[in-house]
Amino acid sequence: MSIGDAVKRVLVGRKLASSQLGDTLLPKRIALPVFASDALSSVAYAPDEILLTLSLAGMAGFAFSWEIGLAVGFVMFIVVLSYRQVVHAYPSGGGDFEVATVNLGPNAGLTVASALLVDYVLTVAVSVSSGVQNVEALIPQIAGHEGWVAAGCIVLLTALNLRGARESGTLFAIPTYCFMVGVLGMIGWGLFQILVLDIPLRASTAGYEVVGDPFYLQMNAFAMVALLARAFSSGCAALTGVEAIANGVPAFRRPKSKNAAATLALLGTIAISMMLGIIALANLTGLKLIDPHGGSHFEVDGQRVDADLTAIGQLADMIFRDFPPGFYFVITATFVILFLAANTAFNGFPVLASILARSEYLPRALYTRGDRLAYSNGIIALATPAIILVLVFNASVTALIQLYVVGVFVSFTVSQLGMVRHWTRHLRVETDARARARMQRSRIINAVGLSCTGTVLVIVLVSKFVYGAYIAVIAMVAVFAVMKSIHRHYAKVIAETAPSPDDVRTLPSRVRAVVLVFDVSKPSMRALNFAKAIRPSSLACITVAAEEQETRAVLEAWEREDLDVPLTVLASPYREVTRPVLEYVNSLRSANPRDVVCVFIPELVVGHWWEQLLHNQSALILRARLFFMPGVMVTSVPYRLASSQAALDRAKRGDAQVAAWRRSGSGLVRAPSIEGEPPESKHADAGRR
Amino acid sequence: MSIGDAVKRVLVGRKLASSQLGDTLLPKRIALPVFASDALSSVAYAPDEILLTLSLAGMAGFAFSWEIGLAVGFVMFIVVLSYRQVVHAYPSGGGDFEVATVNLGPNAGLTVASALLVDYVLTVAVSVSSGVQNVEALIPQIAGHEGWVAAGCIVLLTALNLRGARESGTLFAIPTYCFMVGVLGMIGWGLFQILVLDIPLRASTAGYEVVGDPFYLQMNAFAMVALLARAFSSGCAALTGVEAIANGVPAFRRPKSKNAAATLALLGTIAISMMLGIIALANLTGLKLIDPHGGSHFEVDGQRVDADLTAIGQLADMIFRDFPPGFYFVITATFVILFLAANTAFNGFPVLASILARSEYLPRALYTRGDRLAYSNGIIALATPAIILVLVFNASVTALIQLYVVGVFVSFTVSQLGMVRHWTRHLRVETDARARARMQRSRIINAVGLSCTGTVLVIVLVSKFVYGAYIAVIAMVAVFAVMKSIHRHYAKVIAETAPSPDDVRTLPSRVRAVVLVFDVSKPSMRALNFAKAIRPSSLACITVAAEEQETRAVLEAWEREDLDVPLTVLASPYREVTRPVLEYVNSLRSANPRDVVCVFIPELVVGHWWEQLLHNQSALILRARLFFMPGVMVTSVPYRLASSQAALDRAKRGDAQVAAWRRSGSGLVRAPSIEGEPPESKHADAGRR
């Protein structure tokens, strides 16, 4: 096994047979990092966005960071509580999409799906941009080229995912735990130094004066409220990813729902502590951030200065001033978890697209499952807009975050509304008093969740609409409209192609074979022989006299070969190839309306795409035109050139590798999570709630 | 007939049957403008390029404009003389490509072809850029957006040519004569005013001081020689297009060669007079130009000023100061002839590409002749690099001209060398003294032509290489290499596919039909019925169990339809579609190695490209993979959706229109040139020389 293979075996989870799905249930200690990287990683940018938005109001703005932080924490608490209800009620893992579809109908489901699809794209763009921003602390040369670096990272993620890398428990667990340990450790050690050891830590920006946007500096009450709302909305980015666990319930060990709910609570606690810890330290150490595009800047003694470290970067720099490995550890863990968060979108998007494709809301090509081609269409559909976004916004987290939070809260709000309907529906039929009490409590929790997320959604929309949220809204509406029309199209096609008894019984009476001869060569001979093999009622070989000299050469070669079938030469006064053939086939059809015409086209099979440009172009055009003729079938008779063998070998090597991965099923990556536990039925678990 | 149709009938020449080709012979008065637009149009920029290159040496530089103009005129005189020999010796119209191939072998021919292909691209780029520059005199708002405007013009030309507009005698004659009358009239009237009426005409830039590039201002002898060489090289752009008549001999009326030679002489006289006239007037009126990118600029009293009219623009403005219609007439005629010149490349490039494709130096798809698709590949292959060029160089004629002249002189030089060889070869067998004398005289002319064009080629290469000519050289070498490898590839394929007696006789013993069933629908039923119609030795319907629920639904529907063929379900533990099918077909092949397997794939025929994205993707992948299996033929059974009817109607309307154009053969455009003259044979004419 080469080193490349070994690396890949570590990176790539082996393929799983459908019947094996039950084998890969996750214990909580693995499930937490697998599903939490998205939610936790937002701690890397959410506090920054709160602080830098507040900086627009100058030094006075930072005074509000505590309030904003607590408000975001409160919303997260409510959302986690609400999702614990979802986890219990829908253990199948359909998540918000299922909740909305089941309780509110397909349009609500589609709304959620549109929001999620757009949000996956933004998760990739924001996480990678934030990752690049963090890497800048280590490689300052990136400054000024963030857009291209971020695009390069997305291309890399795409390539890895196209080759089949997938989420894998242990591998994900390590950096996520590193991040948690690093950030919580940093916060703890920082607070310990300040509060217990009474060491007065000062952030590198503590001595700077922040000059805000003149507009906000007047402290106009309305403007301030708008600014606080915007800071809060940006902070709510911390909530993205919370829903991941609700989608992942089937991957948990039994009792699934209970374990998932416990993990959710743990995730919420950790995320809130991290965020509030960072904000607390920022307040205690005089840490400041600015929004250069928004209009605030640093000054020292009236002189403008630049500084663009992230909050985590500044804190790590300060707290581990005497212990550089600590700084490198935190920064590295931060950008690794941000790339993992982007990678979760690469897993989530194709799965959701596949579910939507299965329900015929997206092209069926996105539904293909299980082989090397798996999900590749979905992966490309995700990566392309994400790359465009990071290039257009030059990987600015602050700019991208304006687009971000909308989708998450659309999905939260619709799904909470669905949950309220869910409990109301169940209460209508439930008679057991204890069950009713539990349901009523759940309904209250979800109603609170609904009003809370709904309010946040309105705040986010109002405070960010002109700053970029409108782009996300337009994108969601467009995705929604496209999915609706795809669905209508498929429904129309199914109605149009539903078999009627006539179709099934009416057999064409005879087969008339037509062999297209471009030249006298092995491919043409093979086409002729195959045509003879079907023993048609009539067999005609035709060639088009587009060029006198060539036609004569073909006729002479035909006679030389002494074939028992005459070669019909079709006149082509206008030197066309397609029309005479179409006219010939058409006349054959008209003369024998009850028969089927089978046109044999010899085609060369080549090994490289550029060889394809050199061959078969006439055949392609002809086939496309013949497709429009009723009662005609087109038979391609392939002739494999030597160069095609190379392509075949390549494909075979790929297949062999896939087979090898399968055989080595007990292998490296998923090993810790394989338990041989039998798959649970959805209903069994649902009943136990 | 709608107005659109009427306009189109005027713009578009009707199609011609092969046998009609002889009907369209041109009298000299039409042939001159048809073939001369390219050569004459270069008068619009060649004098400008001489003047602005000289401006780099400051005011003193312009003193050399006379010498440079005369040198270019002399080269043109020699080239015209030389081409008169070509016209007599090769009346078939193969031009430089034929001369080089016949006398110097295929590699020389390919060299000429590469040079010409690259030059066609540059003709489009330079002519359109110069046209846009001239239009700026009328629409100053274009300034700053020249690149995009020029790209837009090329897109428009491409669209017109893709729709089938072609060169048409009368329509071309009008603007070309307008240009000749306008420019010669302007020169004549200007000279009359100055020399006879003694009116002291002053150009608008006459009062400006030109400050050159400091490097040339030192008047270092070597630098000056280099600058003069560059100015001369740029001026040689006036010679591009002279070869067009040599390619067009077959279109002339009898005696073809004599008429063509006379037209060539006339063209040379007019072009030289125009160019020298413009330079003379520039000298007499103090007209100046600068090269802002090269480093020269205008000053008035030490203050930098801007002025960017072309030479023709300044002259027309000055000479027709009291008669504005004269100004508008000249400017309009200038840009119209420049666009016509670009259009000639749109006719020339696809024809040359078609000749090369016929000899298998380019993909055969470029050889398709005669129908609406005709030449569209060639047109796009020409337009794409031209658009890239004008965008990259922002439609700067001065920048593009550095790339231009190389190709023309490569082709001139190789073809003159070929002509010398031609006469030497003929002299070896010719015994008649008078014929020998004539041939010897011709050989001397071509030898002079060779040394002259060869010298110019060296001057052009040396003086312009670093300024951009290297790009043209690289492009030519690349085109040459690609054509060689395409030729090798086709030769290899022909050798590989040459029929052997075995191929012709060995018939597969039996046909085993396999019908792919994705769902129970009309398309599947049709595929099954067509498969039954060929009465195969065995018939299997297969479906892949990628998804349990779906498979069950298909099986139930199959039973409901009560079909007499069982449905085989292929297990797919890894949820793949392709592999189980390939394995099934493979096992069928192994069990019956002497039989042929015919796989029937139902395919939906749709009307729009986006519908194609929604259907048939599995079928496409399967077909591509099945192509690599020996002894398998793939039959597509099309099922036409209602929406496909719209696409068919569109195609039919297009066909009907083409047919209508044909019927209206005696119509508008070619009418003046149709004479009913019988087609001459090439040999007859060649003998008469």
Side-chain angles (χ1 to χ4, degrees):
Chain A
M1 190 161 72
S2 74
I3 292 177
D5 285 346
V7 168
K8 210 159 158 213
R9 279 279 275 285
V10 174
L11 285 175
V12 177
R14 76 208 148 77
K15 305 228 162 183
L16 299 171
S18 302
S19 59
Q20 258 181 295
L21 268 177
D23 301 347
T24 57
L25 301 175
L26 304 177
K28 272 179 288 192
R29 67 173 190 283
I30 302 292
L32 176 68
V34 164
F35 294 112
S37 66
D38 187 7
L40 289 182
S41 70
S42 43
V43 169
Y45 46 85
D48 292 55
E49 295 302 320
I50 294 175
L51 290 171
L52 64 80
T53 309
L54 291 175
S55 79
L56 295 178
M59 297 294 275
F62 294 119
F64 295 96
S65 63
W66 259 115
E67 283 88 337
I68 302 283
L70 285 175
V72 172
F74 172 74
V75 174
M76 184 177 280
F77 176 72
I78 299 288
V79 167
V80 166
L81 272 191
S82 308
Y83 269 92
R84 283 167 58 91
Q85 310 307 316
V86 175
V87 160
H88 284 294
Y90 291 90
S92 56
D96 297 339
F97 176 60
E98 186 182 353
V99 173
T101 311
V102 171
N103 295 298
L104 304 167
N107 278 340
L110 268 197
T111 308
V112 168
S114 319
L116 287 176
L117 289 176
V118 171
D119 242 52
Y120 277 126
V121 172
L122 285 162
T123 298
V124 174
V126 169
S127 301
V128 169
S129 299
S130 178
V132 169
Q133 210 177 26
N134 276 284
V135 173
E136 262 185 65
L138 305 180
I139 314 170
Q141 288 83 352
I142 292 173
H145 312 285
E146 290 90 350
W148 292 104
V149 173
C153 293
I154 298 177
V155 169
L156 187 74
L157 276 174
T158 308
L160 280 175
N161 279 284
L162 282 178
R163 296 204 66 178
R166 336 184 104 252
E167 229 169 319
S168 55
T170 340
L171 204 77
F172 262 53
I174 298 167
T176 309
Y177 277 118
C178 284
F179 179 71
M180 287 197 279
V181 167
V183 173
L184 287 177
M186 177 183 81
I187 293 169
W189 176 230
L191 292 176
F192 183 77
Q193 286 184 76
I194 297 170
L195 303 178
V196 180
L197 303 183
D198 218 15
I199 303 174
L201 288 178
R202 303 292 291 156
S204 59
T205 51
Y208 293 4
E209 186 75 19
V210 170
V211 180
D213 187 323
F215 177 69
Y216 294 106
L217 285 179
Q218 307 158 7
M219 289 299 223
N220 168 303
F222 182 78
M224 267 318 279
V225 169
L227 185 68
L228 293 181
R230 192 137 70 87
F232 167 74
S233 302
S234 292
C236 283
L239 275 79
T240 57
V242 167
E243 76 288 357
I245 289 182
N247 298 333
V249 186
F252 279 81
R253 281 216 207 137
R254 287 175 175 223
K256 289 171 185 297
S257 295
K258 202 164 150 256
N259 281 332
T263 309
L264 196 50
L266 190 61
L267 165 68
T269 313
I270 296 172
I272 294 175
S273 329
M274 282 182 168
M275 194 186 57
L276 292 181
I278 290 173
I279 288 177
L281 274 174
N283 273 285
L284 289 171
T285 63
L287 184 151
K288 299 185 191 73
L289 291 171
I290 48 154
D291 177 6
H293 304 292
S296 56
H297 65 268
F298 283 133
E299 280 186 4
V300 176
D301 302 332
Q303 291 296 308
R304 212 175 161 132
V305 290
D306 275 344
D308 54 358
L309 274 182
T310 60
I312 286 185
Q314 286 191 45
L315 290 180
D317 186 37
M318 169 185 68
I319 293 170
F320 298 115
R321 188 155 290 171
D322 306 321
F323 181 57
F327 171 75
Y328 290 113
F329 180 82
V330 170
I331 296 296
T332 309
T334 304
F335 75 70
V336 170
I337 203 179
L338 282 163
F339 288 120
L340 286 186
N343 197 57
T344 56
F346 276 94
N347 291 298
F349 185 98
V351 171
L352 179 56
S354 169
I355 292 172
L356 290 165
R358 193 179 169 183
S359 315
E360 300 182 328
Y361 284 110
L362 283 178
R364 285 209 197 102
L366 291 169
Y367 174 42
T368 327
R369 300 225 309 199
D371 74 306
R372 258 163 74 96
L373 287 166
Y375 297 122
S376 47
N377 293 316
I379 288 170
I380 290 166
L382 168 67
T384 312
I387 290 174
I388 292 172
L389 278 177
V390 296
L391 289 179
V392 168
F393 290 97
N394 196 29
S396 158
V397 178
T398 310
L400 287 167
I401 214 131
Q402 313 299 330
L403 286 69
Y404 198 14
V405 192
V406 187
V408 183
F409 276 89
V410 165
S411 142
F412 282 167
T413 308
V414 175
S415 110
Q416 292 310 313
L417 181 62
M419 286 306 292
V420 173
R421 288 276 295 262
H422 169 87
W423 299 123
T424 308
R425 219 179 51 212
H426 279 251
L427 278 168
R428 222 174 279 147
V429 292
E430 184 63 65
T431 48
D432 176 52
R434 269 181 55 197
R436 284 186 66 86
R438 215 170 44 229
M439 285 180 181
Q440 244 140 4
R441 208 201 52 177
S442 295
R443 184 166 65 166
I444 291 170
I445 293 175
N446 285 127
V448 171
L450 168 63
S451 56
C452 182
T453 54
T455 311
V456 175
L457 176 60
V458 172
I459 293 175
V460 169
L461 270 178
V462 171
S463 68
K464 295 188 154 190
F465 197 81
V466 292
Y467 295 99
Y470 71 96
I471 301 173
V473 172
I474 291 171
M476 283 174 215
V477 171
V479 170
F480 184 90
V482 166
M483 291 202 291
K484 283 295 268 187
S485 55
I486 288 177
H487 195 68
R488 262 199 305 276
H489 172 82
Y490 276 130
K492 220 178 72 190
V493 169
I494 288 172
E496 199 178 329
T497 60
S500 66
D502 288 1
D503 303 318
V504 183
R505 310 294 158 219
T506 18
L507 275 182
S509 43
R510 265 184 298 260
V511 178
R512 308 205 165 261
V514 175
V515 180
L516 282 186
V517 176
F518 296 109
D519 49 15
V520 180
S521 62
K522 279 184 171 161
S524 304
M525 294 304 105
R526 175 167 298 177
L528 174 58
N529 287 345
F530 281 16
K532 281 180 183 165
I534 70 161
R535 293 186 183 77
S537 313
S538 74
L539 173 62
C541 294
I542 59 173
T543 191
V544 179
E547 196 70 31
E548 205 189 318
Q549 214 177 320
E550 275 185 14
T551 311
R552 212 180 298 133
V554 170
L555 274 172
E556 277 163 17
W558 193 264
E559 269 163 38
R560 217 170 27 243
E561 292 297 335
D562 192 23
L563 298 160
D564 48 359
V565 185
L567 181 63
T568 308
V569 178
L570 304 179
S572 175
Y574 298 95
R575 300 176 300 254
E576 291 162 295
V577 174
T578 318
R579 175 187 308 276
V581 173
L582 293 178
E583 279 167 3
Y584 178 84
V585 172
N586 211 19
S587 67
L588 204 61
R589 276 281 302 160
S590 318
N592 316 281
R594 301 211 42 233
D595 301 354
V596 60
V597 176
C598 187
V599 181
F600 288 81
I601 306 183
E603 281 186 41
L604 285 175
V605 181
V606 294
H608 305 99
W609 64 266
W610 55 264
E611 289 177 316
Q612 192 61 47
L613 296 179
L614 302 178
H615 297 287
N616 304 331
Q617 300 299 323
S618 295
L620 273 177
I621 294 170
L622 262 172
R623 191 165 61 192
R625 291 299 296 271
L626 285 169
F627 264 30
F628 285 99
M629 289 206 150
V632 173
M633 55 182 163
V634 182
T635 301
S636 304
V637 180
Y639 182 88
R640 277 154 295 276
L641 289 177
S643 70
S644 74
Q645 192 57 41
L648 188 59
D649 290 346
R650 276 198 300 279
K652 274 192 182 151
R653 265 202 305 280
D655 290 350
Q657 198 164 26
V658 170
W661 290 336
R662 277 183 200 149
R663 277 193 302 276
S664 68
S666 57
L668 299 166
V669 179
R670 294 259 189 183
S673 62
I674 291 171
E675 303 283 320
E677 210 176 344
E680 296 177 289
S681 100
K682 174 174 163 181
H683 302 288
D685 198 70
R688 204 178 308 127
R689 173 184 31 78
Chain B
M1 190 162 71
S2 74
I3 292 176
D5 286 346
V7 169
K8 212 159 158 216
R9 280 278 278 283
V10 174
L11 286 175
V12 177
R14 79 208 144 77
K15 305 228 161 183
L16 300 171
S18 301
S19 58
Q20 259 182 296
L21 268 177
D23 299 350
T24 57
L25 300 176
L26 303 176
K28 272 180 289 195
R29 69 173 189 284
I30 301 292
L32 178 65
V34 164
F35 295 110
S37 66
D38 186 6
L40 290 181
S41 70
S42 42
V43 169
Y45 47 83
D48 292 54
E49 294 302 320
I50 294 175
L51 290 170
L52 63 83
T53 308
L54 290 174
S55 79
L56 294 180
M59 298 295 275
F62 294 119
F64 296 95
S65 62
W66 258 115
E67 282 88 338
I68 302 282
L70 285 175
V72 173
F74 172 74
V75 174
M76 183 177 279
F77 176 72
I78 298 289
V79 168
V80 165
L81 272 192
S82 307
Y83 269 92
R84 282 168 59 92
Q85 309 307 317
V86 175
V87 160
H88 283 295
Y90 292 89
S92 58
D96 297 339
F97 176 61
E98 185 181 352
V99 174
T101 310
V102 170
N103 296 300
L104 303 168
N107 279 339
L110 269 198
T111 308
V112 169
S114 316
L116 286 176
L117 289 176
V118 171
D119 242 54
Y120 277 127
V121 172
L122 285 162
T123 299
V124 174
V126 169
S127 302
V128 169
S129 298
S130 177
V132 169
Q133 209 176 27
N134 276 284
V135 173
E136 262 185 66
L138 305 180
I139 314 170
Q141 289 82 351
I142 290 173
H145 313 284
E146 290 90 349
W148 291 104
V149 174
C153 292
I154 298 177
V155 169
L156 187 74
L157 276 175
T158 308
L160 280 175
N161 279 283
L162 281 178
R163 297 205 64 178
R166 336 185 101 252
E167 232 169 318
S168 56
T170 342
L171 203 77
F172 262 53
I174 298 165
T176 309
Y177 277 117
C178 284
F179 180 72
M180 290 197 280
V181 168
V183 173
L184 287 176
M186 176 183 82
I187 292 169
W189 177 230
L191 291 176
F192 184 77
Q193 285 184 74
I194 296 170
L195 303 178
V196 180
L197 304 183
D198 218 14
I199 302 175
L201 287 180
R202 303 293 289 157
S204 58
T205 52
Y208 292 2
E209 186 75 16
V210 169
V211 181
D213 186 324
F215 176 70
Y216 294 106
L217 285 180
Q218 306 158 7
M219 287 303 219
N220 168 305
F222 182 78
M224 266 319 279
V225 169
L227 186 69
L228 293 181
R230 193 137 71 90
F232 168 73
S233 301
S234 292
C236 282
L239 275 79
T240 58
V242 168
E243 77 287 357
I245 289 181
N247 298 332
V249 186
F252 278 82
R253 283 219 206 135
R254 292 175 174 221
K256 288 171 183 298
S257 295
K258 200 160 154 261
N259 280 333
T263 309
L264 197 50
L266 190 61
L267 166 67
T269 312
I270 296 172
I272 294 174
S273 332
M274 281 182 169
M275 195 186 57
L276 292 181
I278 289 172
I279 288 178
L281 275 175
N283 273 285
L284 290 170
T285 64
L287 183 150
K288 297 183 194 75
L289 290 172
I290 47 155
D291 177 6
H293 303 292
S296 56
H297 64 268
F298 283 135
E299 281 186 2
V300 175
D301 302 332
Q303 291 296 307
R304 213 176 159 131
V305 291
D306 276 343
D308 55 357
L309 273 180
T310 59
I312 287 185
Q314 287 192 45
L315 291 179
D317 186 38
M318 169 186 71
I319 294 170
F320 296 117
R321 189 155 288 169
D322 307 322
F323 181 57
F327 172 76
Y328 290 112
F329 180 82
V330 170
I331 295 296
T332 310
T334 305
F335 75 69
V336 170
I337 202 178
L338 282 164
F339 288 119
L340 287 185
N343 197 58
T344 57
F346 276 93
N347 291 299
F349 184 98
V351 171
L352 179 56
S354 169
I355 293 171
L356 289 165
R358 192 178 169 183
S359 316
E360 299 180 330
Y361 283 110
L362 284 178
R364 284 208 199 104
L366 291 168
Y367 174 43
T368 325
R369 302 225 310 198
D371 74 301
R372 257 163 75 97
L373 285 166
Y375 297 123
S376 47
N377 293 316
I379 287 169
I380 290 165
L382 168 67
T384 312
I387 291 173
I388 292 172
L389 278 177
V390 296
L391 289 179
V392 168
F393 290 97
N394 196 28
S396 157
V397 177
T398 310
L400 287 167
I401 215 133
Q402 312 299 329
L403 286 68
Y404 198 12
V405 190
V406 186
V408 184
F409 276 89
V410 166
S411 144
F412 283 167
T413 308
V414 175
S415 115
Q416 293 310 313
L417 180 61
M419 286 306 292
V420 173
R421 289 274 296 261
H422 170 87
W423 299 124
T424 308
R425 218 179 53 214
H426 278 253
L427 278 169
R428 221 173 281 147
V429 292
E430 184 65 64
T431 48
D432 177 51
R434 267 182 55 200
R436 286 186 64 87
R438 213 170 47 229
M439 285 180 183
Q440 243 140 5
R441 208 200 51 177
S442 294
R443 185 165 66 166
I444 290 168
I445 294 175
N446 284 126
V448 171
L450 169 63
S451 55
C452 182
T453 53
T455 310
V456 175
L457 176 59
V458 171
I459 293 174
V460 169
L461 270 178
V462 171
S463 68
K464 295 189 157 192
F465 198 79
V466 293
Y467 295 99
Y470 73 96
I471 300 175
V473 172
I474 291 171
M476 282 173 214
V477 172
V479 170
F480 185 90
V482 166
M483 290 201 294
K484 283 295 267 190
S485 55
I486 288 176
H487 195 69
R488 262 198 306 275
H489 173 82
Y490 276 130
K492 220 178 71 189
V493 169
I494 288 173
E496 197 178 329
T497 60
S500 67
D502 288 358
D503 303 318
V504 182
R505 309 295 159 218
T506 18
L507 274 183
S509 44
R510 266 184 298 261
V511 178
R512 308 207 166 259
V514 175
V515 180
L516 281 186
V517 176
F518 296 109
D519 49 15
V520 181
S521 62
K522 279 185 172 162
S524 304
M525 295 302 104
R526 175 168 299 177
L528 173 58
N529 287 344
F530 281 17
K532 281 180 183 167
I534 69 162
R535 292 186 184 77
S537 313
S538 74
L539 173 61
C541 294
I542 59 172
T543 192
V544 178
E547 195 71 29
E548 206 190 319
Q549 213 177 321
E550 274 185 13
T551 311
R552 210 180 299 136
V554 170
L555 275 172
E556 277 164 19
W558 192 264
E559 269 162 38
R560 220 176 18 249
E561 292 296 338
D562 192 24
L563 298 160
D564 47 1
V565 184
L567 181 62
T568 308
V569 178
L570 304 180
S572 175
Y574 297 95
R575 300 176 301 252
E576 292 164 296
V577 174
T578 319
R579 175 189 307 276
V581 173
L582 294 179
E583 279 168 3
Y584 179 86
V585 172
N586 211 20
S587 67
L588 204 63
R589 274 282 303 161
S590 318
N592 316 281
R594 300 209 47 232
D595 301 354
V596 61
V597 176
C598 186
V599 181
F600 288 81
I601 307 183
E603 282 185 43
L604 284 175
V605 181
V606 293
H608 306 99
W609 64 268
W610 55 266
E611 288 178 314
Q612 193 61 47
L613 295 179
L614 302 178
H615 298 286
N616 303 332
Q617 301 299 322
S618 296
L620 274 177
I621 293 171
L622 262 171
R623 190 164 61 194
R625 290 299 297 271
L626 284 168
F627 264 30
F628 285 100
M629 291 206 149
V632 173
M633 55 182 163
V634 182
T635 301
S636 304
V637 181
Y639 183 89
R640 278 153 294 278
L641 288 177
S643 69
S644 75
Q645 191 57 42
L648 187 61
D649 290 347
R650 278 197 300 277
K652 273 193 182 150
R653 267 202 305 280
D655 291 349
Q657 198 164 25
V658 170
W661 290 336
R662 278 183 198 147
R663 277 193 303 276
S664 68
S666 57
L668 299 165
V669 178
R670 294 264 189 178
S673 62
I674 292 171
E675 303 283 322
E677 208 175 342
E680 294 178 288
S681 101
K682 174 174 162 180
H683 303 289
D685 197 71
R688 203 178 306 128
R689 173 185 33 80

